[in-house]
Each structure stands twice: as C-alpha cells, then as structure tokens.
Amino acid sequence: MSIEKIMSKTVVTVEMNDPLSVIKHIFENTKFHHLLVVERGKLVGVISDRDLLRAISPKVDTPVESARDIATLNKKAHQIMSRKVITLPPSAGIYQAISIFNNYNVSCIPITDEDEVQKVLGILSWRDIFRALEENR
C-alpha cells in the first residue's frame, strides 16, 4: 500500500520567523499535532506540539505568568524546529514509513514531491498508519 492513499493531504505551514505565539494559536485552534516550516515554498523543518510545550514557559496563560514567561512566546519557529527532516515521496510504501518511525525519533513524516524542491504534498503520522491497518484487516 502506498502512503499516498493514507497520508493527510491537509497540512499547516508556518514561516521560519513566525513567533511562537502564532504557533501556539494554531495548535490551540486546530487538531494538528505537527506544523511544517517552509521557506520560499521549500520544507526546512517540523514543529510538533511537544516542541512548543518544551519551548514556552509552563506559566503562560496562568494567573502567575510574568513578563518573562510571556516573552517566551516571542521566540521564532526556526529556534525550536527540527531541522533534520526525514521525508518520503507519495509513492513510498507503508513499510518504508514504518521503518522510519521505528528507527528514527520522529512522530511524523512529511510527504514531498520527488524532485529537489521539497514541495510539501502531505504529512504522515503513525496514527494514519494504524488507521489504515485497522481498515484493511
């Protein structure tokens, strides 16, 4: 089974200089767990909701937040993104994706075109694989 059939085609991208306040807002208002970071249309990184939680103060949006806590929201996407992105083309097989999840510390795989441009076509999570396996049993 090719991953093109099971990948999520809806992705949310942010720019390298977008502040964490924007990224926080996206995560809070969508059901996405990963944002793809692009520069001039090319994939350059990934930010997970866990990356954001590690980067901002846990006191943000609480009664005890300080100006210093709020300032953590001014960091930029490029400061917290994962830069070593492992991608697959849409023609890759499901077992290729499973191998990546098992051998690398990643929670999503961006699906990109097969040329050097790295244009984003979709995203694959382990949840997508589990869903496909369950539907095809």
Side-chain angles (χ1 to χ4, degrees):
M1 172 186 308
S2 79
I3 57 177
E4 184 172 28
K5 295 177 183 174
I6 64 171
M7 71 182 189
S8 299
K9 292 180 175 78
T10 304
V11 295
V12 176
T13 62
V14 293
E15 299 286 328
M16 293 205 22
N17 285 320
D18 283 344
L20 298 192
S21 58
V22 168
I23 293 164
K24 180 177 181 290
H25 178 78
I26 293 169
F27 281 133
E28 289 175 344
N29 294 289
T30 67
K31 293 183 179 182
F32 292 101
H33 298 281
H34 302 92
L35 302 178
L36 302 182
V37 184
V38 295
E39 185 174 45
R40 287 182 236 110
K42 181 180 178 181
L43 177 67
V44 293
V46 175
I47 298 174
S48 72
D49 50 3
R50 290 177 310 281
D51 294 331
L52 177 67
L53 289 174
R54 281 191 297 270
I56 64 173
S57 170
K59 295 179 184 175
V60 168
D61 294 335
T62 70
V64 295
E65 76 180 357
S66 68
R68 186 176 189 157
D69 298 318
I70 295 169
T72 62
L73 293 172
N74 293 327
K75 290 180 186 175
K76 305 297 183 194
H78 69 87
Q79 293 176 285
I80 70 164
M81 71 183 193
S82 299
R83 293 174 185 271
K84 294 183 180 180
V85 182
I86 299 170
T87 65
L88 283 173
S91 60
I94 192 169
Y95 291 103
Q96 233 178 318
I98 290 171
S99 178
I100 289 172
F101 284 122
N102 284 336
N103 293 301
Y104 298 91
N105 188 22
V106 297
S107 55
C108 76
I109 303 170
I111 310 305
T112 59
D113 58 1
E114 298 188 35
D115 62 19
E116 294 180 24
V117 178
Q118 293 284 298
K119 179 182 174 191
V120 176
L121 303 174
I123 192 166
L124 184 74
S125 73
W126 55 267
R127 286 181 185 91
D128 297 322
I129 292 175
F130 284 163
R131 189 177 312 111
L133 292 174
E134 181 179 41
E135 290 171 359
N136 291 308
R137 47 176 176 148

